[in-house]
Amino acid sequence: MNFVKVLLVLFVLLLGCADLATTNKILELGFNEANPFMHMAQTWFGAWWMIPKLGLTFVVMALLWRSKNVFNIALVAAFCSTPVINNVLLIAGAI
C-alpha cells in the first residue's frame, strides 16, 4: 500500500470535515449555501443535512482508494480544497 495514497485519502476526509465546519460558520453568519444540492439537503434534512455531505465525502474517499494513480488522487484532493478556501475567504470578509 502506498503511504502517499493513504495520506491523500485521509486529507480528503480532513477537507470534508473542514468544509462542514466552515459551511456551518457561514450559515451562522447569515449566508446561504451556494451549492444547490447541499441547499436541497439542508431543506430536506434540516439539522441533519451534514449526513449527506459527509456521505458524499466517504463516497469520494472510496473511489479514490480504488485508484492506482497517485497523481489523480492528489488532483482530486486539491480540487476538494477549493470549497474550504472559498469558505475561509467568505468568513474572513464577513468578520
Side-chain angles (χ1 to χ4, degrees):
M1 180 172 6
N2 192 347
F3 183 67
V4 174
K5 179 179 176 178
V6 172
L7 286 179
L8 286 170
V9 172
L10 288 175
F11 184 61
V12 169
L13 176 62
L14 179 69
L15 288 171
C17 293
D19 184 25
L20 183 66
T22 55
T23 299
N24 278 335
K25 182 62 178 174
I26 286 173
L27 295 174
E28 288 175 13
L29 293 172
F31 292 104
N32 292 324
E33 174 67 57
N35 182 343
F37 296 109
M38 285 301 117
H39 182 72
M40 184 173 50
Q42 289 172 350
T43 303
W44 287 357
F45 296 109
W48 295 95
W49 70 272
M50 62 190 81
I51 301 298
K53 188 168 192 107
L54 285 177
L56 183 60
T57 300
F58 286 122
V59 167
V60 170
M61 288 174 60
L63 291 172
L64 290 176
W65 188 253
R66 294 183 45 87
S67 176
K68 292 179 176 34
N69 190 336
V70 178
F71 176 77
N72 288 343
I73 298 171
L75 196 61
V76 172
F79 180 73
C80 288
S81 70
T82 56
V84 178
I85 294 168
N86 182 56
N87 289 350
V88 168
L89 291 174
L90 284 173
I91 293 168
I95 295 179

Coordinates of all heavy atoms in Angstrom, one line a residue:
M1 N 0.9 -1.2 0.0 CA 0.0 0.0 0.0 C 0.9 1.2 0.0 O 1.9 1.3 0.7 CB -0.9 0.0 1.2 CG -1.8 1.1 1.3 SD -3.1 1.1 2.6 CE -2.7 -0.4 3.6
N2 N 0.5 2.2 -0.8 CA 1.3 3.4 -0.9 C 1.0 4.4 0.2 O -0.2 4.8 0.4 CB 1.0 4.1 -2.3 CG 1.9 5.2 -2.6 OD1 2.7 5.6 -1.8 ND2 1.8 5.6 -3.9
F3 N 2.0 4.8 1.0 CA 1.8 5.7 2.1 C 1.3 7.1 1.7 O 0.4 7.7 2.3 CB 3.2 5.9 2.8 CG 3.1 6.8 4.0 CD1 2.4 6.3 5.2 CD2 3.7 8.0 4.1 CE1 2.3 7.1 6.3 CE2 3.7 8.8 5.2 CZ 3.0 8.3 6.3
V4 N 1.7 7.6 0.5 CA 1.2 8.8 0.0 C -0.3 8.7 -0.3 O -1.1 9.7 0.0 CB 2.0 9.3 -1.3 CG1 1.4 10.5 -1.9 CG2 3.5 9.5 -0.9
K5 N -0.7 7.6 -0.9 CA -2.1 7.4 -1.2 C -3.0 7.5 0.1 O -4.0 8.1 0.1 CB -2.3 6.1 -1.9 CG -3.7 5.7 -2.3 CD -3.8 4.4 -3.0 CE -5.2 4.0 -3.3 NZ -5.2 2.7 -4.0
V6 N -2.5 6.8 1.1 CA -3.2 6.8 2.4 C -3.3 8.3 2.9 O -4.4 8.7 3.4 CB -2.5 5.9 3.4 CG1 -3.1 6.1 4.8 CG2 -2.6 4.5 3.0
L7 N -2.2 9.0 2.9 CA -2.3 10.4 3.4 C -3.2 11.3 2.6 O -3.9 12.1 3.1 CB -0.9 11.0 3.3 CG 0.1 10.5 4.4 CD1 1.5 11.2 4.3 CD2 -0.5 10.8 5.8
L8 N -3.2 11.1 1.2 CA -4.1 11.9 0.4 C -5.6 11.6 0.7 O -6.4 12.5 0.7 CB -3.7 11.7 -1.1 CG -2.5 12.3 -1.6 CD1 -2.1 11.9 -2.9 CD2 -2.6 13.9 -1.5
V9 N -5.9 10.3 0.8 CA -7.3 9.9 1.1 C -7.7 10.5 2.5 O -8.8 11.0 2.6 CB -7.5 8.4 1.0 CG1 -8.9 8.0 1.4 CG2 -7.3 8.0 -0.5
L10 N -6.8 10.4 3.4 CA -7.2 11.0 4.8 C -7.3 12.5 4.7 O -8.1 13.1 5.4 CB -6.1 10.5 5.8 CG -6.2 9.1 6.2 CD1 -5.0 8.8 7.2 CD2 -7.5 8.7 6.8
F11 N -6.5 13.1 3.8 CA -6.6 14.5 3.6 C -7.9 14.9 3.0 O -8.5 16.0 3.4 CB -5.4 15.0 2.7 CG -5.3 16.5 2.5 CD1 -5.1 17.3 3.6 CD2 -5.5 17.0 1.2 CE1 -5.1 18.7 3.4 CE2 -5.4 18.4 1.0 CZ -5.2 19.2 2.1
V12 N -8.5 14.1 2.2 CA -9.8 14.4 1.6 C -10.8 14.3 2.7 O -11.8 15.1 2.8 CB -10.1 13.4 0.5 CG1 -11.6 13.4 0.1 CG2 -9.2 13.7 -0.7
L13 N -10.7 13.4 3.7 CA -11.6 13.3 4.8 C -11.4 14.6 5.7 O -12.4 15.2 6.1 CB -11.3 12.1 5.7 CG -12.1 12.0 7.0 CD1 -13.6 11.9 6.7 CD2 -11.6 10.8 7.8
L14 N -10.2 15.0 5.9 CA -10.0 16.3 6.7 C -10.6 17.5 6.0 O -11.2 18.3 6.6 CB -8.5 16.5 6.8 CG -8.1 17.7 7.6 CD1 -8.5 17.6 9.0 CD2 -6.6 18.0 7.4
L15 N -10.5 17.5 4.6 CA -11.1 18.6 3.9 C -12.6 18.6 3.9 O -13.3 19.6 4.0 CB -10.6 18.6 2.4 CG -9.2 19.0 2.2 CD1 -8.8 18.7 0.7 CD2 -9.0 20.5 2.5
G16 N -13.2 17.4 3.9 CA -14.6 17.3 4.1 C -15.1 17.8 5.4 O -16.1 18.5 5.5
C17 N -14.4 17.5 6.5 CA -14.7 18.0 7.8 C -14.5 19.5 7.9 O -15.3 20.2 8.5 CB -13.9 17.2 8.9 SG -14.3 15.5 9.0
A18 N -13.5 20.0 7.3 CA -13.2 21.4 7.3 C -14.3 22.1 6.5 O -14.8 23.2 6.9 CB -11.9 21.7 6.7
D19 N -14.7 21.5 5.4 CA -15.8 22.1 4.6 C -17.1 22.2 5.4 O -17.8 23.2 5.4 CB -16.0 21.3 3.3 CG -17.1 21.9 2.4 OD1 -17.3 23.2 2.5 OD2 -17.7 21.2 1.6
L20 N -17.4 21.1 6.1 CA -18.6 21.1 7.0 C -18.5 22.2 8.1 O -19.5 22.9 8.3 CB -18.7 19.7 7.6 CG -19.9 19.5 8.5 CD1 -21.2 19.5 7.7 CD2 -19.8 18.2 9.2
A21 N -17.3 22.3 8.7 CA -17.2 23.3 9.8 C -17.3 24.7 9.3 O -18.0 25.6 9.9 CB -15.9 23.1 10.5
T22 N -16.6 25.0 8.1 CA -16.7 26.4 7.6 C -18.0 26.7 7.0 O -18.5 27.8 7.1 CB -15.6 26.6 6.5 OG1 -15.7 25.6 5.5 CG2 -14.2 26.5 7.1
T23 N -18.7 25.7 6.5 CA -20.1 25.9 6.0 C -21.0 26.3 7.2 O -21.9 27.2 7.1 CB -20.6 24.7 5.2 OG1 -19.8 24.5 4.1 CG2 -22.0 24.9 4.8
N24 N -20.9 25.5 8.3 CA -21.7 25.9 9.5 C -21.4 27.3 9.9 O -22.4 28.0 10.3 CB -21.4 24.9 10.6 CG -22.2 23.6 10.4 OD1 -23.2 23.6 9.8 ND2 -21.6 22.5 11.0
K25 N -20.2 27.7 9.9 CA -19.9 29.1 10.3 C -20.5 30.1 9.4 O -21.0 31.1 9.8 CB -18.3 29.3 10.4 CG -17.9 30.6 10.8 CD -18.3 30.9 12.3 CE -17.9 32.3 12.7 NZ -18.4 32.6 14.0
I26 N -20.4 29.8 8.1 CA -21.1 30.7 7.1 C -22.6 30.8 7.3 O -23.2 31.9 7.2 CB -20.7 30.2 5.7 CG1 -19.3 30.6 5.4 CG2 -21.7 30.9 4.6 CD1 -18.8 30.0 4.0
L27 N -23.2 29.7 7.6 CA -24.6 29.7 7.9 C -24.9 30.5 9.2 O -26.0 31.2 9.2 CB -25.2 28.2 8.0 CG -25.1 27.4 6.7 CD1 -25.5 26.0 7.0 CD2 -25.9 28.0 5.6
E28 N -24.1 30.4 10.2 CA -24.2 31.2 11.4 C -24.2 32.7 11.1 O -24.8 33.5 11.8 CB -23.2 30.8 12.4 CG -23.4 29.5 13.1 CD -22.2 29.1 14.0 OE1 -21.4 30.0 14.4 OE2 -22.1 28.0 14.4
L29 N -23.3 33.0 10.1 CA -23.1 34.5 9.8 C -24.3 35.0 9.0 O -24.3 36.2 8.7 CB -21.8 34.7 9.0 CG -20.6 34.4 9.8 CD1 -19.3 34.5 8.9 CD2 -20.4 35.5 11.0
G30 N -25.2 34.1 8.6 CA -26.4 34.6 7.9 C -26.4 34.4 6.4 O -27.3 34.8 5.6
F31 N -25.3 33.8 5.8 CA -25.2 33.5 4.4 C -26.0 32.2 4.1 O -26.4 31.5 5.0 CB -23.7 33.3 4.0 CG -22.9 34.6 4.1 CD1 -22.0 34.8 5.1 CD2 -23.1 35.5 3.1 CE1 -21.3 35.9 5.2 CE2 -22.3 36.7 3.2 CZ -21.4 36.9 4.2
N32 N -26.2 32.0 2.8 CA -26.9 30.7 2.4 C -25.9 29.8 1.7 O -24.8 30.2 1.3 CB -28.0 31.1 1.4 CG -29.1 31.8 2.1 OD1 -29.5 31.6 3.2 ND2 -29.7 32.7 1.3
E33 N -26.3 28.6 1.6 CA -25.5 27.6 0.9 C -25.5 27.8 -0.6 O -26.6 28.0 -1.1 CB -26.0 26.2 1.2 CG -25.3 25.0 0.5 CD -23.9 24.8 0.8 OE1 -23.6 24.6 2.0 OE2 -23.1 24.9 -0.1
A34 N -24.3 27.9 -1.2 CA -24.3 28.2 -2.6 C -24.4 27.0 -3.5 O -24.9 27.1 -4.6 CB -22.9 28.9 -3.0
N35 N -24.1 25.8 -3.0 CA -24.3 24.6 -3.7 C -25.7 24.2 -3.7 O -26.3 23.9 -2.6 CB -23.4 23.5 -3.0 CG -23.5 22.1 -3.7 OD1 -24.3 21.9 -4.5 ND2 -22.5 21.3 -3.4
P36 N -26.4 24.1 -4.9 CA -27.8 23.8 -4.9 C -28.1 22.4 -4.3 O -29.2 22.2 -3.7 CB -28.2 23.9 -6.4 CG -26.9 23.9 -7.1 CD -25.8 24.3 -6.2
F37 N -27.2 21.4 -4.5 CA -27.5 20.1 -3.9 C -27.5 20.1 -2.4 O -28.3 19.5 -1.7 CB -26.5 19.1 -4.5 CG -26.6 18.9 -6.0 CD1 -25.7 19.3 -6.8 CD2 -27.8 18.2 -6.5 CE1 -25.8 19.2 -8.2 CE2 -27.9 18.1 -7.9 CZ -26.9 18.5 -8.7
M38 N -26.5 20.8 -1.8 CA -26.4 20.9 -0.4 C -27.5 21.8 0.2 O -28.0 21.5 1.3 CB -25.1 21.4 0.1 CG -24.0 20.3 -0.1 SD -24.3 18.9 0.9 CE -24.4 17.6 -0.3
H39 N -27.9 22.8 -0.6 CA -29.1 23.6 -0.2 C -30.3 22.7 -0.1 O -31.1 22.9 0.8 CB -29.3 24.8 -1.1 CG -30.3 25.7 -0.7 ND1 -30.2 26.5 0.4 CD2 -31.6 25.9 -1.2 CE1 -31.4 27.2 0.5 NE2 -32.2 26.9 -0.5
M40 N -30.5 21.9 -1.1 CA -31.7 21.0 -1.1 C -31.6 20.0 0.1 O -32.6 19.7 0.8 CB -31.7 20.2 -2.4 CG -32.9 19.3 -2.6 SD -33.0 18.5 -4.2 CE -31.4 17.9 -4.5
A41 N -30.4 19.5 0.4 CA -30.2 18.6 1.6 C -30.5 19.4 2.9 O -31.1 18.8 3.8 CB -28.8 18.1 1.6
Q42 N -30.1 20.6 3.0 CA -30.5 21.4 4.2 C -32.0 21.6 4.3 O -32.5 21.6 5.4 CB -29.8 22.8 4.1 CG -28.3 22.7 4.3 CD -27.6 24.0 4.0 OE1 -28.2 25.0 3.5 NE2 -26.3 24.1 4.3
T43 N -32.6 21.8 3.2 CA -34.1 21.9 3.2 C -34.8 20.6 3.6 O -35.7 20.7 4.4 CB -34.6 22.4 1.8 OG1 -33.9 23.6 1.4 CG2 -36.1 22.6 1.8
W44 N -34.3 19.5 3.0 CA -35.0 18.3 3.3 C -34.6 17.7 4.7 O -35.5 17.2 5.4 CB -34.6 17.2 2.3 CG -35.2 17.4 0.9 CD1 -36.1 18.4 0.6 CD2 -34.9 16.7 -0.3 NE1 -36.4 18.2 -0.8 CE2 -35.7 17.2 -1.3 CE3 -34.1 15.6 -0.5 CZ2 -35.7 16.7 -2.6 CZ3 -34.1 15.1 -1.8 CH2 -34.9 15.6 -2.8
F45 N -33.4 17.8 5.1 CA -32.9 17.1 6.3 C -32.8 18.0 7.5 O -32.6 17.5 8.6 CB -31.6 16.4 6.1 CG -31.7 15.3 5.0 CD1 -31.1 15.5 3.8 CD2 -32.3 14.1 5.3 CE1 -31.1 14.5 2.9 CE2 -32.4 13.1 4.4 CZ -31.8 13.3 3.1
G46 N -32.9 19.3 7.3 CA -32.8 20.2 8.4 C -31.4 20.2 9.1 O -30.4 20.3 8.4
A47 N -31.4 20.0 10.4 CA -30.2 19.9 11.2 C -29.3 18.7 10.8 O -28.1 18.7 11.0 CB -30.4 19.9 12.7
W48 N -29.9 17.7 10.2 CA -29.1 16.5 9.8 C -28.6 16.6 8.4 O -28.2 15.6 7.8 CB -30.1 15.3 9.9 CG -30.5 15.1 11.3 CD1 -31.6 15.5 11.9 CD2 -29.7 14.4 12.3 NE1 -31.6 15.1 13.2 CE2 -30.5 14.4 13.5 CE3 -28.5 13.7 12.3 CZ2 -30.0 13.8 14.6 CZ3 -28.0 13.1 13.4 CH2 -28.8 13.2 14.6
W49 N -28.5 17.8 7.8 CA -28.0 18.0 6.4 C -26.6 17.5 6.3 O -26.1 17.2 5.2 CB -28.2 19.4 6.0 CG -27.2 20.4 6.6 CD1 -27.5 21.0 7.8 CD2 -25.9 20.7 6.2 NE1 -26.4 21.8 8.1 CE2 -25.4 21.6 7.2 CE3 -25.2 20.4 5.1 CZ2 -24.2 22.2 7.1 CZ3 -23.9 21.0 5.0 CH2 -23.4 21.9 6.0
M50 N -25.8 17.5 7.4 CA -24.4 17.1 7.3 C -24.2 15.7 7.0 O -23.1 15.3 6.5 CB -23.7 17.5 8.5 CG -24.2 16.9 9.8 SD -23.5 17.6 11.3 CE -24.5 19.0 11.5
I51 N -25.2 14.8 7.2 CA -25.1 13.4 6.9 C -24.9 13.2 5.4 O -23.9 12.5 5.0 CB -26.3 12.6 7.4 CG1 -26.5 12.8 8.9 CG2 -26.3 11.1 7.0 CD1 -25.4 12.3 9.7
P52 N -25.7 13.7 4.5 CA -25.4 13.5 3.1 C -24.0 14.2 2.6 O -23.3 13.7 1.8 CB -26.5 14.2 2.3 CG -27.4 14.8 3.3 CD -27.0 14.4 4.7
K53 N -23.7 15.3 3.3 CA -22.4 16.0 2.9 C -21.2 15.1 3.3 O -20.3 14.9 2.5 CB -22.3 17.3 3.7 CG -21.2 18.2 3.2 CD -21.3 19.6 3.8 CE -20.4 20.5 3.1 NZ -20.9 21.4 2.2
L54 N -21.2 14.5 4.5 CA -20.1 13.6 4.8 C -20.2 12.3 4.1 O -19.2 11.7 3.8 CB -20.1 13.4 6.3 CG -19.6 14.5 7.2 CD1 -19.7 14.2 8.7 CD2 -18.1 14.8 6.8
G55 N -21.5 11.9 3.8 CA -21.7 10.7 3.0 C -21.0 10.8 1.6 O -20.4 9.9 1.1
L56 N -21.2 12.0 1.0 CA -20.5 12.2 -0.3 C -19.0 12.2 -0.1 O -18.3 11.7 -1.0 CB -21.0 13.5 -0.9 CG -20.5 13.9 -2.2 CD1 -20.9 12.9 -3.3 CD2 -21.0 15.3 -2.6
T57 N -18.5 12.7 1.0 CA -17.1 12.7 1.2 C -16.6 11.2 1.3 O -15.5 10.9 0.7 CB -16.7 13.4 2.5 OG1 -17.2 14.8 2.4 CG2 -15.2 13.4 2.8
F58 N -17.3 10.4 2.0 CA -16.9 9.0 2.1 C -17.0 8.3 0.7 O -16.2 7.4 0.4 CB -17.7 8.2 3.1 CG -17.4 8.6 4.5 CD1 -18.3 9.1 5.4 CD2 -16.1 8.5 5.0 CE1 -18.0 9.5 6.7 CE2 -15.7 8.8 6.3 CZ -16.7 9.3 7.1
V59 N -18.0 8.6 -0.1 CA -18.0 8.0 -1.5 C -16.8 8.4 -2.3 O -16.2 7.6 -2.9 CB -19.3 8.5 -2.2 CG1 -19.3 8.1 -3.7 CG2 -20.5 7.8 -1.5
V60 N -16.4 9.7 -2.2 CA -15.2 10.2 -2.9 C -14.0 9.5 -2.4 O -13.1 9.0 -3.1 CB -15.1 11.7 -2.7 CG1 -13.7 12.2 -3.3 CG2 -16.2 12.4 -3.5
M61 N -13.9 9.3 -1.1 CA -12.8 8.6 -0.5 C -12.7 7.1 -1.0 O -11.6 6.6 -1.3 CB -12.8 8.6 1.0 CG -12.5 9.9 1.7 SD -12.8 9.9 3.5 CE -11.7 8.7 4.0
A62 N -13.8 6.5 -1.1 CA -13.9 5.1 -1.5 C -13.4 5.0 -3.0 O -12.7 4.1 -3.4 CB -15.3 4.5 -1.3
L63 N -13.9 5.9 -3.8 CA -13.5 5.9 -5.2 C -12.0 6.2 -5.3 O -11.3 5.6 -6.2 CB -14.3 7.0 -6.0 CG -15.8 6.6 -6.2 CD1 -16.5 7.8 -6.8 CD2 -16.0 5.3 -7.0
L64 N -11.5 7.1 -4.5 CA -10.1 7.4 -4.6 C -9.2 6.2 -4.1 O -8.1 6.0 -4.7 CB -9.7 8.7 -3.7 CG -10.2 10.0 -4.3 CD1 -9.9 11.1 -3.3 CD2 -9.6 10.3 -5.6
W65 N -9.7 5.5 -3.2 CA -9.0 4.4 -2.6 C -8.8 3.3 -3.7 O -7.8 2.6 -3.8 CB -9.7 3.8 -1.5 CG -8.9 2.7 -0.8 CD1 -9.2 1.4 -0.8 CD2 -7.8 2.9 0.0 NE1 -8.2 0.7 -0.1 CE2 -7.4 1.7 0.5 CE3 -7.1 4.1 0.5 CZ2 -6.3 1.5 1.3 CZ3 -6.0 3.9 1.3 CH2 -5.6 2.6 1.7
R66 N -9.8 3.2 -4.6 CA -9.7 2.2 -5.7 C -8.7 2.7 -6.8 O -8.3 1.8 -7.6 CB -11.1 1.9 -6.3 CG -12.0 1.3 -5.3 CD -13.3 1.0 -5.9 NE -13.3 0.3 -7.2 CZ -13.2 -1.0 -7.5 NH1 -13.1 -1.8 -6.4 NH2 -13.1 -1.4 -8.7
S67 N -8.4 3.9 -6.9 CA -7.5 4.4 -7.9 C -6.1 4.0 -7.7 O -5.6 3.8 -6.6 CB -7.5 6.0 -7.9 OG -6.6 6.5 -8.8
K68 N -5.4 3.7 -8.8 CA -4.0 3.3 -8.7 C -3.0 4.4 -9.0 O -1.8 4.3 -8.9 CB -3.8 2.1 -9.7 CG -4.5 0.9 -9.2 CD -4.2 -0.2 -10.2 CE -4.8 -1.6 -9.9 NZ -6.0 -1.7 -9.2
N69 N -3.6 5.6 -9.5 CA -2.7 6.7 -9.9 C -2.7 7.7 -8.8 O -3.7 8.4 -8.6 CB -3.3 7.3 -11.2 CG -2.4 8.3 -11.8 OD1 -1.6 8.9 -11.2 ND2 -2.6 8.5 -13.1
V70 N -1.6 7.9 -8.1 CA -1.5 8.8 -7.0 C -1.6 10.3 -7.5 O -2.2 11.1 -6.8 CB -0.1 8.6 -6.3 CG1 0.0 9.6 -5.2 CG2 0.0 7.2 -5.7
F71 N -1.2 10.6 -8.7 CA -1.3 11.9 -9.3 C -2.8 12.3 -9.4 O -3.2 13.4 -9.0 CB -0.7 12.0 -10.6 CG -0.9 13.3 -11.3 CD1 -0.1 14.4 -10.9 CD2 -1.8 13.5 -12.3 CE1 -0.3 15.7 -11.5 CE2 -2.0 14.8 -12.9 CZ -1.2 15.8 -12.5
N72 N -3.6 11.4 -9.8 CA -5.1 11.7 -9.9 C -5.7 11.9 -8.5 O -6.6 12.7 -8.3 CB -5.8 10.6 -10.7 CG -5.5 10.6 -12.2 OD1 -5.0 11.6 -12.7 ND2 -5.8 9.5 -12.8
I73 N -5.2 11.1 -7.6 CA -5.8 11.3 -6.2 C -5.4 12.6 -5.7 O -6.2 13.3 -5.0 CB -5.2 10.1 -5.3 CG1 -5.7 8.8 -5.8 CG2 -5.6 10.3 -3.9 CD1 -5.1 7.6 -5.1
A74 N -4.1 13.0 -5.9 CA -3.7 14.4 -5.5 C -4.4 15.5 -6.2 O -4.8 16.5 -5.5 CB -2.2 14.5 -5.8
L75 N -4.8 15.3 -7.4 CA -5.6 16.3 -8.2 C -7.0 16.4 -7.6 O -7.4 17.6 -7.4 CB -5.6 15.9 -9.6 CG -6.1 16.9 -10.6 CD1 -5.1 18.1 -10.7 CD2 -6.2 16.3 -12.0
V76 N -7.6 15.3 -7.3 CA -8.9 15.4 -6.6 C -8.8 16.0 -5.2 O -9.7 16.8 -4.8 CB -9.6 14.0 -6.6 CG1 -10.8 14.0 -5.7 CG2 -9.8 13.5 -8.0
A77 N -7.8 15.7 -4.5 CA -7.6 16.3 -3.1 C -7.4 17.8 -3.3 O -8.0 18.5 -2.5 CB -6.4 15.6 -2.4
A78 N -6.7 18.2 -4.2 CA -6.5 19.7 -4.4 C -7.9 20.3 -4.8 O -8.2 21.4 -4.3 CB -5.5 19.9 -5.5
F79 N -8.6 19.6 -5.7 CA -9.9 20.2 -6.0 C -10.9 20.2 -4.8 O -11.7 21.2 -4.7 CB -10.5 19.3 -7.2 CG -11.9 19.8 -7.6 CD1 -12.0 20.9 -8.4 CD2 -13.0 19.1 -7.3 CE1 -13.2 21.3 -8.8 CE2 -14.3 19.5 -7.7 CZ -14.4 20.6 -8.5
C80 N -10.8 19.3 -3.9 CA -11.6 19.3 -2.7 C -11.3 20.4 -1.8 O -12.1 20.7 -0.9 CB -11.5 17.9 -2.0 SG -12.3 16.6 -2.9
S81 N -10.1 21.0 -1.9 CA -9.7 22.1 -1.1 C -10.4 23.4 -1.5 O -10.4 24.3 -0.7 CB -8.2 22.2 -1.0 OG -7.7 22.7 -2.3
T82 N -10.9 23.5 -2.7 CA -11.4 24.8 -3.2 C -12.6 25.3 -2.4 O -12.7 26.5 -2.1 CB -11.7 24.7 -4.7 OG1 -12.6 23.7 -5.0 CG2 -10.5 24.6 -5.5
P83 N -13.6 24.4 -2.0 CA -14.7 24.9 -1.2 C -14.3 25.4 0.2 O -14.8 26.4 0.7 CB -15.7 23.7 -1.0 CG -15.3 22.8 -2.1 CD -13.8 23.0 -2.4
V84 N -13.3 24.8 0.7 CA -12.8 25.2 2.1 C -12.1 26.5 2.0 O -12.3 27.4 2.8 CB -11.8 24.1 2.6 CG1 -11.3 24.6 4.0 CG2 -12.5 22.8 2.8
I85 N -11.3 26.7 0.9 CA -10.6 28.0 0.7 C -11.6 29.1 0.5 O -11.5 30.2 1.1 CB -9.6 27.9 -0.4 CG1 -8.5 27.0 -0.1 CG2 -9.1 29.3 -0.8 CD1 -7.6 26.6 -1.3
N86 N -12.6 28.8 -0.3 CA -13.7 29.8 -0.6 C -14.4 30.2 0.7 O -14.7 31.3 1.0 CB -14.7 29.2 -1.6 CG -15.7 30.2 -2.0 OD1 -15.4 31.3 -2.4 ND2 -17.0 29.8 -1.8
N87 N -14.8 29.1 1.5 CA -15.5 29.4 2.7 C -14.6 30.2 3.7 O -15.2 31.2 4.4 CB -15.9 28.1 3.4 CG -17.0 27.4 2.7 OD1 -17.6 27.9 1.8 ND2 -17.2 26.1 3.1
V88 N -13.3 30.0 3.8 CA -12.5 30.7 4.7 C -12.4 32.2 4.2 O -12.4 33.1 5.0 CB -11.1 30.1 4.8 CG1 -10.1 31.0 5.4 CG2 -11.2 28.8 5.5
L89 N -12.3 32.4 2.9 CA -12.3 33.8 2.4 C -13.6 34.5 2.7 O -13.6 35.7 3.0 CB -12.0 33.8 0.9 CG -10.6 33.3 0.5 CD1 -10.5 33.2 -1.0 CD2 -9.6 34.3 1.1
L90 N -14.7 33.8 2.6 CA -16.0 34.4 2.9 C -16.1 34.8 4.4 O -16.6 35.8 4.7 CB -17.2 33.5 2.5 CG -17.5 33.4 1.0 CD1 -18.6 32.3 0.8 CD2 -18.0 34.7 0.5
I91 N -15.7 33.9 5.2 CA -15.7 34.1 6.7 C -14.8 35.3 7.0 O -15.2 36.2 7.8 CB -15.3 32.9 7.5 CG1 -16.3 31.8 7.3 CG2 -15.0 33.2 8.9 CD1 -15.9 30.4 7.8
A92 N -13.6 35.3 6.4 CA -12.7 36.4 6.7 C -13.2 37.8 6.2 O -13.0 38.8 6.9 CB -11.3 36.2 6.0
G93 N -14.0 37.8 5.1 CA -14.6 39.0 4.6 C -15.8 39.5 5.4 O -16.1 40.6 5.4
A94 N -16.4 38.5 6.1 CA -17.6 38.9 6.9 C -17.3 39.3 8.3 O -18.1 39.9 8.9 CB -18.6 37.7 6.9
I95 N -16.1 39.0 8.8 CA -15.8 39.4 10.2 C -15.1 40.7 10.2 O -14.5 41.2 9.4 CB -14.9 38.3 10.8 CG1 -15.7 37.0 10.9 CG2 -14.4 38.7 12.1 CD1 -14.9 35.8 11.4

